[in-house]
Amino acid sequence: MNNVLIIDDQPLYSEALASLVQNAFQTVNVVESTDSAEVMDLIRNQPVDLVILDVVLGDRDGMRLAKNILATGYQGRILFISSRDYSSLSKAAFEMGAHGFLNKNESKETIMDAIVSVTRGYSMFKATHNQSSGNVA
C-alpha cells in the first residue's frame, strides 16, 4: 500500500482516518481532500491505491464522485465510510464497483480491519449483495 486518498468534508474524521491508515501500513502516503477538481487531478496524475470517501461531501454527492473516479479507468480500491447507513447506499456502492461500505459509527478496530482487508483484495459490505438479481440478503 503506497498512496491513499481520503475524501471527507469533516476535518476531524478525515484526520482520524488518515491516522488509522498510517497506523495500519508502515509506508504510506495519505492525501486528504474535499475538492472534487483536486481529487480528479490526483486520480488522473498520481498512483492512488485506495480511495476512502463519504457518500455525502457537504453539498456534493460522493457516489457521483466515485463514479467519476471509476470513469477515468481507475484500477485501485474504493471504500465508502459514511454516517448514512442505508442498505440502498451500500447496494449502490457495490453495484458501481466499490469494494466496501461501512458506517462511521463502527469501532476504530472494525474500520482499520476493513481498510486493511479492502487493500488485500476483499470486499467489506455489511449486507450480502447479489448483483445479478438486485436483491439484498
Side-chain angles (χ1 to χ4, degrees), residues 27-57:
T27 57
V28 66
N29 177 42
V30 178
V31 176
E32 299 171 60
S33 180
T34 59
D35 181 83
S36 297
E38 178 186 27
V39 165
M40 295 309 295
D41 185 56
L42 287 166
I43 291 294
R44 287 185 188 104
N45 299 307
Q46 302 287 329
V48 177
D49 302 300
L50 174 63
V51 174
I52 301 173
L53 75 161
D54 197 345
V55 172
V56 177
L57 301 166

mmCIF file of all heavy atoms in Angstrom, residues 27-57:
data_model
loop_
_atom_site.group_PDB
_atom_site.id
_atom_site.type_symbol
_atom_site.label_atom_id
_atom_site.label_comp_id
_atom_site.label_asym_id
_atom_site.label_seq_id
_atom_site.Cartn_x
_atom_site.Cartn_y
_atom_site.Cartn_z
ATOM 1 N N THR A 27 4.635 2.096 5.405
ATOM 2 C CA THR A 27 4.993 3.157 4.470
ATOM 3 C C THR A 27 3.787 3.479 3.618
ATOM 4 O O THR A 27 3.357 2.674 2.795
ATOM 5 C CB THR A 27 6.169 2.738 3.567
ATOM 6 O OG1 THR A 27 5.814 1.545 2.891
ATOM 7 C CG2 THR A 27 7.432 2.506 4.372
ATOM 8 N N VAL A 28 3.222 4.656 3.853
ATOM 9 C CA VAL A 28 2.033 5.063 3.112
ATOM 10 C C VAL A 28 2.024 6.581 3.000
ATOM 11 O O VAL A 28 2.439 7.288 3.911
ATOM 12 C CB VAL A 28 0.737 4.544 3.786
ATOM 13 C CG1 VAL A 28 0.518 5.174 5.132
ATOM 14 C CG2 VAL A 28 -0.469 4.735 2.897
ATOM 15 N N ASN A 29 1.574 7.051 1.860
ATOM 16 C CA ASN A 29 1.373 8.475 1.640
ATOM 17 C C ASN A 29 -0.124 8.719 1.659
ATOM 18 O O ASN A 29 -0.852 8.154 0.841
ATOM 19 C CB ASN A 29 1.983 8.895 0.297
ATOM 20 C CG ASN A 29 1.740 10.350 -0.004
ATOM 21 O OD1 ASN A 29 1.863 11.198 0.872
ATOM 22 N ND2 ASN A 29 1.392 10.648 -1.237
ATOM 23 N N VAL A 30 -0.588 9.542 2.592
ATOM 24 C CA VAL A 30 -2.012 9.838 2.716
ATOM 25 C C VAL A 30 -2.262 11.273 2.278
ATOM 26 O O VAL A 30 -1.608 12.191 2.759
ATOM 27 C CB VAL A 30 -2.507 9.637 4.168
ATOM 28 C CG1 VAL A 30 -3.981 9.993 4.291
ATOM 29 C CG2 VAL A 30 -2.258 8.213 4.629
ATOM 30 N N VAL A 31 -3.208 11.428 1.372
ATOM 31 C CA VAL A 31 -3.627 12.755 0.932
ATOM 32 C C VAL A 31 -5.092 12.922 1.318
ATOM 33 O O VAL A 31 -5.906 12.033 1.073
ATOM 34 C CB VAL A 31 -3.460 12.921 -0.600
ATOM 35 C CG1 VAL A 31 -3.994 14.271 -1.060
ATOM 36 C CG2 VAL A 31 -2.004 12.735 -1.004
ATOM 37 N N GLU A 32 -5.417 14.058 1.936
ATOM 38 C CA GLU A 32 -6.789 14.373 2.308
ATOM 39 C C GLU A 32 -7.277 15.513 1.426
ATOM 40 O O GLU A 32 -6.544 16.474 1.202
ATOM 41 C CB GLU A 32 -6.861 14.798 3.770
ATOM 42 C CG GLU A 32 -6.405 13.722 4.739
ATOM 43 C CD GLU A 32 -6.293 14.254 6.151
ATOM 44 O OE1 GLU A 32 -7.313 14.726 6.694
ATOM 45 O OE2 GLU A 32 -5.180 14.215 6.699
ATOM 46 N N SER A 33 -8.499 15.402 0.929
ATOM 47 C CA SER A 33 -9.048 16.454 0.086
ATOM 48 C C SER A 33 -10.563 16.485 0.204
ATOM 49 O O SER A 33 -11.199 15.475 0.497
ATOM 50 C CB SER A 33 -8.660 16.224 -1.376
ATOM 51 O OG SER A 33 -9.186 17.250 -2.188
ATOM 52 N N THR A 34 -11.124 17.648 -0.050
ATOM 53 C CA THR A 34 -12.574 17.799 -0.157
ATOM 54 C C THR A 34 -12.941 18.424 -1.498
ATOM 55 O O THR A 34 -14.119 18.585 -1.794
ATOM 56 C CB THR A 34 -13.136 18.684 0.973
ATOM 57 O OG1 THR A 34 -12.516 19.970 0.909
ATOM 58 C CG2 THR A 34 -12.894 18.062 2.326
ATOM 59 N N ASP A 35 -11.954 18.758 -2.295
ATOM 60 C CA ASP A 35 -12.166 19.457 -3.558
ATOM 61 C C ASP A 35 -12.257 18.459 -4.716
ATOM 62 O O ASP A 35 -11.289 17.752 -5.000
ATOM 63 C CB ASP A 35 -11.017 20.440 -3.784
ATOM 64 C CG ASP A 35 -11.172 21.216 -5.063
ATOM 65 O OD1 ASP A 35 -11.898 22.224 -5.059
ATOM 66 O OD2 ASP A 35 -10.570 20.793 -6.076
ATOM 67 N N SER A 36 -13.405 18.410 -5.375
ATOM 68 C CA SER A 36 -13.624 17.433 -6.452
ATOM 69 C C SER A 36 -12.624 17.583 -7.588
ATOM 70 O O SER A 36 -12.139 16.582 -8.129
ATOM 71 C CB SER A 36 -15.049 17.557 -7.005
ATOM 72 O OG SER A 36 -15.977 17.257 -6.006
ATOM 73 N N ALA A 37 -12.302 18.811 -7.973
ATOM 74 C CA ALA A 37 -11.345 19.033 -9.064
ATOM 75 C C ALA A 37 -9.964 18.526 -8.675
ATOM 76 O O ALA A 37 -9.279 17.871 -9.484
ATOM 77 C CB ALA A 37 -11.284 20.513 -9.434
ATOM 78 N N GLU A 38 -9.553 18.776 -7.434
ATOM 79 C CA GLU A 38 -8.261 18.286 -6.957
ATOM 80 C C GLU A 38 -8.246 16.755 -6.924
ATOM 81 O O GLU A 38 -7.265 16.119 -7.326
ATOM 82 C CB GLU A 38 -7.954 18.832 -5.565
ATOM 83 C CG GLU A 38 -6.639 18.312 -4.992
ATOM 84 C CD GLU A 38 -6.389 18.728 -3.554
ATOM 85 O OE1 GLU A 38 -7.368 18.973 -2.803
ATOM 86 O OE2 GLU A 38 -5.213 18.781 -3.180
ATOM 87 N N VAL A 39 -9.348 16.163 -6.469
ATOM 88 C CA VAL A 39 -9.460 14.702 -6.417
ATOM 89 C C VAL A 39 -9.285 14.110 -7.812
ATOM 90 O O VAL A 39 -8.504 13.175 -8.010
ATOM 91 C CB VAL A 39 -10.816 14.275 -5.808
ATOM 92 C CG1 VAL A 39 -11.103 12.804 -6.070
ATOM 93 C CG2 VAL A 39 -10.841 14.574 -4.321
ATOM 94 N N MET A 40 -9.991 14.660 -8.784
ATOM 95 C CA MET A 40 -9.911 14.129 -10.147
ATOM 96 C C MET A 40 -8.513 14.317 -10.728
ATOM 97 O O MET A 40 -7.996 13.441 -11.428
ATOM 98 C CB MET A 40 -10.972 14.765 -11.041
ATOM 99 C CG MET A 40 -12.403 14.418 -10.627
ATOM 100 S SD MET A 40 -12.718 12.638 -10.411
ATOM 101 C CE MET A 40 -12.483 12.057 -12.093
ATOM 102 N N ASP A 41 -7.860 15.431 -10.410
ATOM 103 C CA ASP A 41 -6.485 15.664 -10.856
ATOM 104 C C ASP A 41 -5.542 14.632 -10.248
ATOM 105 O O ASP A 41 -4.685 14.069 -10.944
ATOM 106 C CB ASP A 41 -6.057 17.087 -10.492
ATOM 107 C CG ASP A 41 -4.678 17.429 -11.028
ATOM 108 O OD1 ASP A 41 -4.477 17.316 -12.259
ATOM 109 O OD2 ASP A 41 -3.807 17.791 -10.219
ATOM 110 N N LEU A 42 -5.695 14.363 -8.967
ATOM 111 C CA LEU A 42 -4.863 13.357 -8.295
ATOM 112 C C LEU A 42 -5.078 11.976 -8.910
ATOM 113 O O LEU A 42 -4.116 11.244 -9.153
ATOM 114 C CB LEU A 42 -5.174 13.317 -6.798
ATOM 115 C CG LEU A 42 -4.674 14.486 -5.971
ATOM 116 C CD1 LEU A 42 -5.335 14.497 -4.601
ATOM 117 C CD2 LEU A 42 -3.159 14.424 -5.836
ATOM 118 N N ILE A 43 -6.332 11.610 -9.142
ATOM 119 C CA ILE A 43 -6.641 10.294 -9.708
ATOM 120 C C ILE A 43 -6.016 10.143 -11.092
ATOM 121 O O ILE A 43 -5.481 9.083 -11.431
ATOM 122 C CB ILE A 43 -8.176 10.072 -9.763
ATOM 123 C CG1 ILE A 43 -8.754 9.936 -8.347
ATOM 124 C CG2 ILE A 43 -8.543 8.885 -10.635
ATOM 125 C CD1 ILE A 43 -8.297 8.705 -7.578
ATOM 126 N N ARG A 44 -6.082 11.196 -11.896
ATOM 127 C CA ARG A 44 -5.546 11.126 -13.260
ATOM 128 C C ARG A 44 -4.013 11.147 -13.304
ATOM 129 O O ARG A 44 -3.419 10.592 -14.219
ATOM 130 C CB ARG A 44 -6.078 12.293 -14.090
ATOM 131 C CG ARG A 44 -7.525 12.163 -14.463
ATOM 132 C CD ARG A 44 -7.953 13.299 -15.406
ATOM 133 N NE ARG A 44 -9.374 13.293 -15.609
ATOM 134 C CZ ARG A 44 -10.224 14.142 -15.035
ATOM 135 N NH1 ARG A 44 -9.785 15.090 -14.230
ATOM 136 N NH2 ARG A 44 -11.510 14.047 -15.264
ATOM 137 N N ASN A 45 -3.383 11.803 -12.316
ATOM 138 C CA ASN A 45 -1.949 12.080 -12.431
ATOM 139 C C ASN A 45 -1.066 11.447 -11.366
ATOM 140 O O ASN A 45 0.152 11.573 -11.437
ATOM 141 C CB ASN A 45 -1.722 13.597 -12.439
ATOM 142 C CG ASN A 45 -2.407 14.250 -13.617
ATOM 143 O OD1 ASN A 45 -2.209 13.843 -14.755
ATOM 144 N ND2 ASN A 45 -3.239 15.241 -13.350
ATOM 145 N N GLN A 46 -1.654 10.786 -10.380
ATOM 146 C CA GLN A 46 -0.878 10.160 -9.310
ATOM 147 C C GLN A 46 -1.321 8.708 -9.145
ATOM 148 O O GLN A 46 -2.500 8.416 -9.309
ATOM 149 C CB GLN A 46 -1.107 10.895 -7.981
ATOM 150 C CG GLN A 46 -0.770 12.357 -7.990
ATOM 151 C CD GLN A 46 0.713 12.610 -8.016
ATOM 152 O OE1 GLN A 46 1.494 11.825 -7.493
ATOM 153 N NE2 GLN A 46 1.116 13.701 -8.643
ATOM 154 N N PRO A 47 -0.413 7.840 -8.780
ATOM 155 C CA PRO A 47 -0.857 6.475 -8.464
ATOM 156 C C PRO A 47 -1.569 6.472 -7.110
ATOM 157 O O PRO A 47 -0.996 6.861 -6.102
ATOM 158 C CB PRO A 47 0.447 5.677 -8.409
ATOM 159 C CG PRO A 47 1.508 6.695 -8.108
ATOM 160 C CD PRO A 47 1.027 8.006 -8.676
ATOM 161 N N VAL A 48 -2.841 6.101 -7.116
ATOM 162 C CA VAL A 48 -3.637 6.032 -5.886
ATOM 163 C C VAL A 48 -4.118 4.598 -5.741
ATOM 164 O O VAL A 48 -4.798 4.072 -6.618
ATOM 165 C CB VAL A 48 -4.833 7.013 -5.924
ATOM 166 C CG1 VAL A 48 -5.686 6.860 -4.674
ATOM 167 C CG2 VAL A 48 -4.346 8.452 -6.078
ATOM 168 N N ASP A 49 -3.745 3.970 -4.625
ATOM 169 C CA ASP A 49 -4.107 2.575 -4.394
ATOM 170 C C ASP A 49 -5.481 2.409 -3.760
ATOM 171 O O ASP A 49 -6.170 1.427 -4.005
ATOM 172 C CB ASP A 49 -3.062 1.917 -3.485
ATOM 173 C CG ASP A 49 -1.671 2.000 -4.074
ATOM 174 O OD1 ASP A 49 -1.469 1.473 -5.179
ATOM 175 O OD2 ASP A 49 -0.788 2.616 -3.433
ATOM 176 N N LEU A 50 -5.858 3.365 -2.916
ATOM 177 C CA LEU A 50 -7.113 3.268 -2.180
ATOM 178 C C LEU A 50 -7.740 4.652 -2.051
ATOM 179 O O LEU A 50 -7.053 5.606 -1.675
ATOM 180 C CB LEU A 50 -6.874 2.694 -0.778
ATOM 181 C CG LEU A 50 -8.055 2.661 0.193
ATOM 182 C CD1 LEU A 50 -9.174 1.762 -0.306
ATOM 183 C CD2 LEU A 50 -7.594 2.220 1.587
ATOM 184 N N VAL A 51 -9.026 4.731 -2.352
ATOM 185 C CA VAL A 51 -9.818 5.938 -2.127
ATOM 186 C C VAL A 51 -10.823 5.619 -1.034
ATOM 187 O O VAL A 51 -11.580 4.656 -1.143
ATOM 188 C CB VAL A 51 -10.562 6.382 -3.409
ATOM 189 C CG1 VAL A 51 -11.490 7.555 -3.102
ATOM 190 C CG2 VAL A 51 -9.581 6.743 -4.513
ATOM 191 N N ILE A 52 -10.797 6.415 0.026
ATOM 192 C CA ILE A 52 -11.773 6.295 1.104
ATOM 193 C C ILE A 52 -12.607 7.565 1.057
ATOM 194 O O ILE A 52 -12.067 8.673 1.113
ATOM 195 C CB ILE A 52 -11.093 6.175 2.481
ATOM 196 C CG1 ILE A 52 -10.166 4.954 2.521
ATOM 197 C CG2 ILE A 52 -12.145 6.095 3.584
ATOM 198 C CD1 ILE A 52 -9.322 4.868 3.786
ATOM 199 N N LEU A 53 -13.927 7.410 0.924
ATOM 200 C CA LEU A 53 -14.756 8.607 0.834
ATOM 201 C C LEU A 53 -16.122 8.416 1.469
ATOM 202 O O LEU A 53 -16.562 7.294 1.690
ATOM 203 C CB LEU A 53 -14.907 9.062 -0.614
ATOM 204 C CG LEU A 53 -15.831 8.293 -1.547
ATOM 205 C CD1 LEU A 53 -16.174 9.169 -2.749
ATOM 206 C CD2 LEU A 53 -15.169 7.024 -2.041
ATOM 207 N N ASP A 54 -16.748 9.559 1.735
ATOM 208 C CA ASP A 54 -18.092 9.594 2.308
ATOM 209 C C ASP A 54 -19.106 9.676 1.178
ATOM 210 O O ASP A 54 -18.781 10.100 0.068
ATOM 211 C CB ASP A 54 -18.213 10.801 3.232
ATOM 212 C CG ASP A 54 -19.396 10.716 4.189
ATOM 213 O OD1 ASP A 54 -20.290 9.872 3.974
ATOM 214 O OD2 ASP A 54 -19.429 11.500 5.144
ATOM 215 N N VAL A 55 -20.321 9.277 1.455
ATOM 216 C CA VAL A 55 -21.404 9.360 0.477
ATOM 217 C C VAL A 55 -21.824 10.817 0.277
ATOM 218 O O VAL A 55 -22.143 11.240 -0.824
ATOM 219 C CB VAL A 55 -22.615 8.514 0.947
ATOM 220 C CG1 VAL A 55 -23.812 8.730 0.060
ATOM 221 C CG2 VAL A 55 -22.232 7.047 0.988
ATOM 222 N N VAL A 56 -21.799 11.582 1.362
ATOM 223 C CA VAL A 56 -22.167 12.993 1.305
ATOM 224 C C VAL A 56 -20.924 13.817 1.624
ATOM 225 O O VAL A 56 -20.287 13.625 2.653
ATOM 226 C CB VAL A 56 -23.296 13.323 2.312
ATOM 227 C CG1 VAL A 56 -23.612 14.814 2.293
ATOM 228 C CG2 VAL A 56 -24.528 12.501 2.007
ATOM 229 N N LEU A 57 -20.603 14.737 0.724
ATOM 230 C CA LEU A 57 -19.434 15.599 0.891
ATOM 231 C C LEU A 57 -19.910 17.050 0.877
ATOM 232 O O LEU A 57 -19.838 17.731 -0.137
ATOM 233 C CB LEU A 57 -18.431 15.351 -0.237
ATOM 234 C CG LEU A 57 -17.920 13.913 -0.351
ATOM 235 C CD1 LEU A 57 -17.212 13.687 -1.666
ATOM 236 C CD2 LEU A 57 -17.005 13.602 0.828
#
